[in-house]
Every structure is written in structure tokens, then in C-alpha cells.
Amino acid sequence: EDGSSKTVSEGSNGMDLAKAISSSLAKKAVALEINGELKDLGTPIRDGDKVKIIKVGDKKSYEVLRHTTSHVLASVVQKLFPAAKVGVGPATEKGFFYDFKISDHKISDEDLLKIEKEMKRFAEGAHQIEKFFIEDVDAKLSEYKNAGELFKAELLEEHRNNQPTEYFFVDNNGKKHWSDLCAGPHLPNTKFIKHLKLTNVSGAYWRGDTANEQLQRIYGTVWWDEEEFQNYLKQQEESEARDHRKLARQHDYFSTHEMAGAGLIFWHRKLATVRAELQKFWEKEHMKAGYEFVDTPHIAKSELWDISGHNSFYKDNMFSLKVDEEEYVLKPMNCPFHVLIFKNNKHSYRELPIRMAEMGTVYRNESSGAVHGLARVRGFTQDDAHIFCTREQFKSEIQGVFRLIDKIYSALGLDFKVEVSTKPEKAIGGDDLWDFAEKGLMESLNELGIEFEINPADGAFYGPKIDFKLKDALGRIWQGATIQLDFNLPERFDLNYIGSDSNPERPVMIHRAIFGSMERITMVLIEHFAGAFPLWLAPDQVMVIPVTDKHNEYALSIRDFLIDNDIRAKADLSSERMNYKIRTAQEEQIPYMLIVGDKEMEDNSVNVRFRRAPEQLSMSKEELLAKLRSEINNKTL
């Protein structure tokens, strides 16, 4: 890593190199990076290679640990359930999974405990992990097929010309116990695998295709040390408590209905209120940033999507219907509609940039198995906007969008990191245009002094993009805003403006969404705040609680005073005891409770209690109103 050189004898591998550097390094070494590529520690090194020893705890070591552990899982499952056939078992960001076809058994929670126990026992055996090249692919294919390992056979057939490899678990006596077709890399042996837990089992389709067989997917997690392992388990426990679907049932936020269809959200009063407040905030900030608001239809003829390119690149995700013998499409995106509005009038360079915004509801044909609460839906409302500008303006416009995103996320208490996604495999437009666009995005961020990572080949089909990854209260990452640069739709729709030389010029188009969708952002906020929304977003901001029935009329007068001053207030006039009413309001995460009794009636005051604090304050209703307004106007978190 320090750029120094090391000479070792010809034929040496990564472990030999680690030993040549220090014995302590050799004990911690788990993998090898050769010329930027992750490899097994036993991989031979050659003259001139740039190498890095990957140690226990290094960032890249987790991928090797987790992928190796997935193979231990597969070997144990096939031992405990001999009918099991294996699919694939990759590492994930926080763990691993493996897919199985088990025709005679459905894995239960009790099974997970047995499998986990056996995995730990197997790992303690310190089995060596040895790599072998498959010399005779046809013979190995026959072996797999005869054993019923059709998924392995399919993968081997695909990779027959890529020097396919097989990995074996080998015990201390040199006996081979189990093998799997895999490209690696893996740990040198299983003794490193200690802090693991199997978490759940779910259904999954082979290769994610609903046309293929459904398999059983077992998930797990594994870590290098006990502290990070326990921290992860605690975070998972907290994540489950904050799950927006669980909180939705508890607080009556939203519902879906089989009668209506999967992935279609019914917003109930409380969450609809949160949504309305977010939208008011969004509209006000956009007005200040120079946006104009538009509203467009939900469907359009298929011809429009031919011109835009969606029918070529996105058709599987689109809903279509017949109207008067013509094919129409439910819009999956708002961009072609904004293009048509721009195209409807002639424009001069003096008018640009034109910033067009819409809360536009779109529809995408997600598989029913993929829909998930508010996170993955079929119908959702994008806080969409498109900017039409000159080539000279687009960098400053991107910077303006960035500042707006930063302002809005700051108000919500959300941190973020930034990625630039480059040209995907399937894309519209030439390399020169893409290079210009990608360079422009990166220069825009560099000029703002913003750090970013490159996410290769993950851009939209029409242009590169900047992605904002949101970080919530638990440190979890969510997809947030995007800024996408598009030189292609203006070309396809023949958009023009009159330049300073009186000749027609092609505008640059910037696509951007800040919330991403109203569904996604409310999901993130529910889990971020654990349902305890700040005052300005809270569905119910104040609950007035009379001590006895004789204080009901005064409680109603306080409620009405607050409502008249645009505070969302309610009064609990139920027959329950006062302490029960307070506890109920706390459970419903209402920010302020106002206790009113004889003293408050005499003083024309209220006794104020905040949901998180035990202390109570006495103040006049005017003082309370001033406090509430200040907190709302400042968007105090």
C-alpha cells in the first residue's frame, strides 16, 4: 500500500507474500488484491503485479467472509436436507443468502436454528478451501445433471469458456467434504467464520425471473468481531421496530387492498396530512427557486413512447390499454409530457432556463412479488421537474438543483452521500454526447466541492445521473433524489429555441426529483423518525386533555383557538382517566398534550406537556401559539 516493492521467489502466492512481509500479517491475511482485482490468497503472483494483502476487518474482506459463509450454509443445508439442490449464494451489504430448491421440505424458523448450529460446528473444523480448475466441462456437466444439480449445470454451460472453477471444503486429513461451482474468491479456511446468524427465509425465483422455478432463499449475516455483530443485531431489532409497515398498522397510516390490486396505496388521514405538508413545503421552496408548476394527463398514445424511446427500453415496466382501437400507455414517467409542453410554444434563449415542476402520478408494472409497502409500488407520485436550458447554463442549473436538494433534506434532518452513474449497456445516443454529459455532471459537483463516488454503467438509458443516497437515524442508506442529464429527448422530439444569433438551437434537458416519490420519502421519514414526526409534519400536533368532564367545554375552546390559528389540534373527551389519555397521546406520537383543569380555567392558561419530556409548563394560550408557530416556521426537528 505504501508503494514499496517486494521480491519473492517465482511461483509464490499471496500467502507466501504475506509471510515474507510479517508473520502477524500472515495470520490476518484472508484474500489478495492483484492489480485492483480481488483474488484468493493462494493465487500465484507474477513479476510486476501491484498487490495488496486483504486483512481481517478490511472493507473488502467482508465480501470474502460473507460469500464463503454462504457456501458453508449450502453445504450444511445439503447435508441436513439431501433432496436440496443449490442455486447461487452471493454476499450482500450486511450478510449473505443462498437459494435452494427443496421439493420435499419447506424451511422453517426451527430449521434455521438447526442449520446455524451445524454451520458453526462445521466452521470450527477449520476446513481448508481449495480451488480446482474444471478441465473437462462436459464430464462435469454430466455429473451435475445426474445429481439433479440443474442450476449448477446451467451456470457451468454459460461459463464453459471462462476457465470455470470449483471450490472444495477439505478437512485436516485431506478429505474433500463438499464442493460448489464458483469463481471465488474465498477465505483460506473456515476458522475465520465465527460471528454468524441466520435471519430469515423467503421465496425467490431462479435468476429473479418469475417465469423460472421458485426457490427458498435463506438469509444470514456474519461479522469479524463480536462487537460489530451485536451492534448489527441491535440495529436490526431497532429497524424492525421502525418498519413503516408495522408502524402503519399501529398508527393507521395507509393500506393496500387485494380488491384494488398489489402496489396501489390508499393514503389514510394521518399520512395524507404528512404528504400534504411535505408538498406545501416542496411547492414553496420551488417557487422561491424559480420553478413553474404544470399538470399533465395520466395516459398517452403508445406513439409518444415510441418517440421517447420508452417502448424500446422500458416496455416491460409499462401498463398499456386499448382506447378506440388504439394502444395507450399509463405514463411510467412524466418527462415526455413536459417535453410536449415546451414544444407547444416557441422559445428564445432569453427565456431559458425554463424550470417545469409537477407532482405527477406514474405507473410501473412491478411484479406482485416485488411490491413492498411504500418502498416498491405500482402507482406513485413523483416530485418531478425538468429544466430546459442552454449548454452554457446546464452546469449552473445542476448546481442550483443540488443546493435546493441540500436545503430540503436539511429541513428533514437527512444526511446524504452522492454518486455519479455513468452510461449503461443499453443507452440512447453516441459516446461523444455521453462523455460530454458525464464530464459536465462531475465538473458541476467538483466546483461545489462535493465528494462523490462513481457508479459505473448505472445511468438512465437517456443520460447519466447524480444519485443521492440518504442516511437515516440508524445509518441505513436509501435511494433519494436524482439529477439526470438528457441530450436525447430534445433530439428525439426536435426541441428548439432561438439562439442569440437568431438560429435554432437544441436545449439541454435536466430531469430531477428530490423526494424521488411521495411514497418513498414518507416511508423513509416514518422509519427515520420512528413515527414521531416533528411538529411541522405531525398529523395531529396538539391533543387537549380535560382533567374531568366539567373541563370539556374549556378544552374545546382551546382546541378551536388552535385550529383557527392553523394548528392541527384535537380534544380527547372520552370517558377514560386523564393518565390513560396522556399515555394514548404519547403512543400516538402527538408532539404536545395540553392538560386543562380548574387552575387552567381560572387562569385562562394551559398545562403543556411534550411527548418526550416529563416536565410540564404552564403558559397562556397566546404564549403556546407563539411557541408552536416558531417551531413550525423553523421546522424544528
Side-chain angles (χ1 to χ4, degrees):
E1 287 182 85
D2 61 4
S4 62
S5 296
K6 187 76 178 175
T7 301
V8 291
S9 58
E10 193 170 350
S12 295
N13 60 30
M15 179 55 87
D16 297 324
L17 175 62
K19 288 177 179 176
I21 295 172
S22 75
S23 58
S24 62
L25 176 62
K27 290 177 182 177
K28 298 176 184 174
V30 293
L32 181 68
E33 190 174 272
I34 304 180
N35 303 322
E37 194 172 348
L38 203 57
K39 296 286 186 180
D40 294 306
L41 199 56
T43 302
I45 49 181
R46 297 168 299 180
D47 191 32
D49 278 342
K50 292 182 179 179
V51 297
K52 178 182 177 182
I53 303 295
I54 304 299
K55 308 182 298 297
V56 168
D58 289 350
K59 186 176 181 181
K60 290 188 178 180
S61 70
Y62 287 89
E63 179 185 342
V64 182
L65 170 67
R66 287 163 181 160
H67 180 54
T68 305
T69 307
S70 78
H71 287 293
V72 175
L73 167 62
S75 70
V76 168
V77 168
Q78 288 203 305
K79 176 186 175 183
L80 296 177
F81 306 98
K85 307 303 175 188
V86 296
V88 292
T92 63
E93 186 182 355
K94 298 289 177 70
F96 58 90
F97 68 78
Y98 214 112
D99 291 340
F100 302 94
K101 179 184 177 184
I102 312 176
S103 55
D104 62 350
H105 186 79
K106 185 174 181 180
I107 298 293
S108 66
D109 290 342
E110 290 76 17
D111 291 328
L112 292 184
L113 294 174
K114 283 193 294 185
I115 296 167
E116 181 185 306
K117 184 178 180 180
E118 184 63 22
M119 285 176 68
K120 291 176 180 176
R121 190 198 65 77
F122 185 88
E124 286 170 0
H127 291 77
Q128 298 296 309
I129 301 165
E130 297 184 8
K131 171 182 174 181
F132 295 88
F133 286 94
I134 297 173
E135 305 292 346
D136 189 338
V137 172
D138 290 322
K140 183 58 71 173
L141 280 170
S142 295
E143 180 187 322
Y144 285 158
K145 288 176 182 177
N146 290 337
E149 296 286 5
L150 301 183
F151 304 123
K152 277 190 188 182
E154 182 181 323
L155 293 171
L156 178 56
E157 184 63 56
E158 284 182 19
H159 295 283
R160 63 159 54 238
N161 298 320
N162 301 327
Q163 290 190 304
T165 53
E166 189 173 23
Y167 284 80
F168 285 82
F169 288 129
V170 182
D171 67 19
N172 294 327
N173 297 317
K175 181 182 176 182
K176 295 178 180 177
H177 280 262
W178 185 84
S179 71
D180 202 356
L181 174 73
C182 190
H186 299 94
L187 299 172
N189 64 67
T190 62
K191 72 178 181 181
F192 291 99
I193 301 170
K194 295 176 181 176
H195 309 283
L196 77 93
K197 181 179 178 61
L198 297 184
T199 53
N200 63 296
V201 61
S202 70
Y205 292 100
W206 172 238
R207 298 192 140 183
D209 189 338
T210 54
N212 291 335
E213 287 193 72
Q214 188 167 22
L215 310 176
Q216 297 184 65
R217 175 171 292 177
I218 298 177
Y219 289 91
T221 188
V222 62
W223 298 81
W224 284 118
D225 65 55
E226 182 66 19
E227 184 179 358
E228 61 181 0
F229 177 57
Q230 292 301 329
N231 287 341
Y232 171 78
L233 295 181
K234 287 176 185 175
Q235 187 192 62
Q236 288 303 105
E237 188 178 326
E238 180 67 18
S239 294
E240 288 175 17
R242 290 171 180 252
D243 188 311
H244 74 285
R245 295 165 301 172
K246 179 179 178 180
L247 291 172
R249 292 189 294 271
Q250 185 178 332
H251 295 294
D252 193 27
Y253 285 152
F254 71 90
S255 60
T256 57
H257 300 272
E258 188 63 36
M259 189 180 295
L264 300 173
I265 303 300
F266 289 71
W267 296 70
H268 297 195
R269 176 191 69 85
K270 288 182 180 179
L271 203 60
T273 302
V274 174
R275 173 176 173 155
E277 288 300 314
L278 285 170
Q279 185 164 337
K280 281 194 288 186
F281 172 49
W282 179 89
E283 288 175 351
K284 185 174 181 179
E285 293 303 324
H286 280 71
M287 286 179 70
K288 290 193 284 188
Y291 285 77
E292 55 191 45
F293 300 112
V294 299
D295 200 5
T296 60
H298 287 233
I299 66 172
K301 289 180 180 179
S302 186
E303 175 189 358
L304 176 70
W305 310 103
D306 285 332
I307 298 171
S308 69
H310 285 81
N311 279 340
S312 299
F313 291 87
Y314 208 73
K315 195 170 183 66
D316 290 345
N317 294 87
M318 291 155 58
F319 291 105
S320 61
L321 62 155
K322 287 279 186 183
V323 180
D324 296 332
E325 300 305 311
E326 284 194 83
E327 186 180 16
Y328 280 69
V329 171
L330 287 173
K331 64 175 178 180
M333 300 178 187
N334 299 297
C335 25
F337 292 71
H338 293 186
V339 165
L340 292 182
I341 292 177
F342 181 89
K343 191 175 174 68
N344 196 59
N345 296 302
K346 290 183 178 180
H347 301 282
S348 160
Y349 73 96
R350 296 179 185 276
E351 297 173 59
L352 302 186
I354 292 174
R355 306 182 187 102
M356 207 178 291
E358 175 183 14
M359 281 285 178
T361 301
V362 298
Y363 304 89
R364 298 183 186 174
N365 189 12
E366 303 283 356
S367 68
S368 57
V371 297
H372 173 87
L374 293 170
R376 195 80 176 265
V377 293
R378 285 178 169 170
F380 56 94
T381 301
Q382 289 185 308
D383 64 314
D384 222 347
H386 296 92
I387 299 170
F388 301 89
C389 63
T390 69
R391 284 198 173 208
E392 294 73 31
Q393 292 170 331
F394 88 84
K395 283 205 304 185
S396 63
E397 285 302 303
I398 287 168
Q399 291 168 348
V401 173
F402 183 93
R403 284 189 282 267
L404 181 59
I405 290 170
D406 187 36
K407 185 176 184 180
I408 288 176
Y409 282 161
S410 294
L412 296 172
L414 293 170
D415 295 326
F416 59 83
K417 64 177 184 177
V418 179
E419 293 179 355
V420 174
S421 299
T422 57
K423 185 179 181 182
E425 189 176 332
K426 292 183 177 181
I428 300 171
D431 288 341
D432 289 348
L433 211 52
W434 276 85
D435 289 343
F436 179 78
E438 289 171 4
K439 184 180 178 184
L441 290 184
M442 295 180 201
E443 286 178 353
S444 301
L445 293 172
N446 284 329
E447 289 172 12
L448 288 173
I450 304 302
E451 292 183 6
F452 60 89
E453 295 179 5
I454 301 295
N455 189 7
D458 198 43
F461 68 82
Y462 48 77
K465 60 178 179 170
I466 301 172
D467 284 320
F468 291 74
K469 304 295 185 179
L470 302 178
K471 186 177 181 181
D472 72 6
L474 295 184
R476 298 171 301 177
I477 303 299
W478 306 94
Q479 174 61 50
T482 61
I483 306 173
Q484 300 171 359
L485 202 54
D486 187 355
F487 292 89
N488 290 294
L489 280 185
E491 192 73 33
R492 283 175 164 259
F493 283 92
D494 191 27
L495 300 187
N496 291 292
Y497 66 91
I498 303 302
S500 58
D501 58 359
S502 299
N503 290 318
E505 299 280 347
R506 191 78 74 204
V508 175
M509 185 176 179
I510 299 169
H511 307 241
R512 46 113 297 194
I514 297 177
F515 294 149
S517 76
M518 299 306 289
E519 288 73 10
R520 174 66 64 87
I521 195 65
T522 50
M523 177 210 71
V524 171
L525 293 176
I526 289 169
E527 300 202 1
H528 178 61
F529 292 117
F533 292 105
L535 183 66
W536 71 278
L537 280 177
D540 299 313
Q541 296 171 319
V542 174
M543 178 64 77
V544 188
I545 299 173
V547 175
T548 67
D549 287 351
K550 70 177 182 179
H551 307 112
N552 284 357
E553 189 174 337
Y554 181 67
L556 288 174
S557 71
I558 296 295
R559 180 204 66 180
D560 292 348
F561 167 77
L562 293 172
I563 291 174
D564 287 341
N565 285 281
D566 300 320
I567 303 298
R568 294 186 290 277
K570 299 177 82 173
D572 186 346
L573 305 184
S574 68
S575 59
E576 301 291 351
R577 294 170 64 87
M578 181 187 72
N579 286 338
Y580 180 86
K581 293 178 183 181
I582 292 171
R583 188 165 64 252
T584 299
Q586 288 174 324
E587 288 172 353
E588 291 181 3
Q589 300 291 5
I590 297 173
Y592 284 98
M593 288 148 280
L594 309 182
I595 316 301
V596 293
D598 290 340
K599 183 176 186 303
E600 286 72 32
M601 286 177 62
E602 290 170 13
D603 299 343
N604 197 23
S605 65
V606 290
N607 191 293
V608 183
R609 181 170 183 158
F610 183 58
R611 65 183 162 201
R612 287 280 187 268
E615 65 269 13
Q616 300 175 40
L617 298 172
S618 180
M619 58 181 72
S620 69
K621 61 183 183 181
E622 290 78 17
E623 288 172 328
L624 169 67
L625 180 61
K627 175 178 172 58
L628 296 176
R629 280 179 170 168
S630 173
E631 200 171 318
I632 290 168
N633 292 339
N634 292 323
K635 294 188 168 45
T636 305
L637 294 169

